[in-house]
Amino acid sequence: MAYGYETIRMKRAIIVLLSMYCCISCDVVQQDKDRVKKEVHTLLVNWHQAATDANFENYFGAMDSLSVFIGTAAEEVWTKAQFQVFSKPYFDKGKAWSFHALDRNVYVNDTGNFVWFDELLDTWMGTCRGSGVLEKTGDVWKIKQYVLSVPIPNEDIQAVIAIKNKKDALFLEKYQQSFFKVRK
């Protein structure tokens, strides 16, 4: 089937326009994700600063009402309300804790309203790792979950395991007893 010169030109023009549209759309999506990453970075910097400043309202205001904070000890899985009760005495003394991000990776979903992140932290415990999930509702980002962990160098893991063995055994015994009561 023979195409006329005008038909070929029209098809080429459509292909060029579609290609340009795709490139522009991809650039806009990336710009949106970059904006989201900056918003989340600012929120997390301010959140950590609120703890440093012992600003209870700002610190817990950044967390969703259904937030979960997971600490470094096995039993430290707190709802927002439980974590507030635990933390309040530290904030009331004017000194909570001071975490400063050394590095942070933020990952954004396709719609731009949900992120997950990991961060390397300089803390009073030495180097720690934080990770979490945030969700945007309307124009407001809220922390849904935060996990704090203490990274252990591979060459030191056996010594740490030996230190933890006794307390882990006690914790597991208590945990299994309460777990099986709940499951029955």
Side-chain angles (χ1 to χ4, degrees), residues 13 57 71 101 164 173:
E57 299 306 320
K164 289 178 49 173
E173 182 180 317

Side-chain angles (χ1 to χ4, degrees), residues 47 58-69 78-80 83 141-144 146:
W47 187 59
N58 286 354
Y59 186 82
F60 287 99
M63 297 173 73
D64 186 77
S65 62
L66 302 175
S67 288
V68 175
F69 187 99
W78 290 306
T79 65
K80 178 181 179 179
F83 192 50
W141 285 102
K142 291 288 184 175
I143 298 167
K144 301 292 265 185
Y146 189 81

Side-chain angles (χ1 to χ4, degrees), residues 127-142:
T127 305
C128 286
R129 171 87 49 204
S131 61
V133 175
L134 286 86
E135 183 178 38
K136 189 173 191 177
T137 304
D139 291 334
V140 179
W141 285 102
K142 291 288 184 175

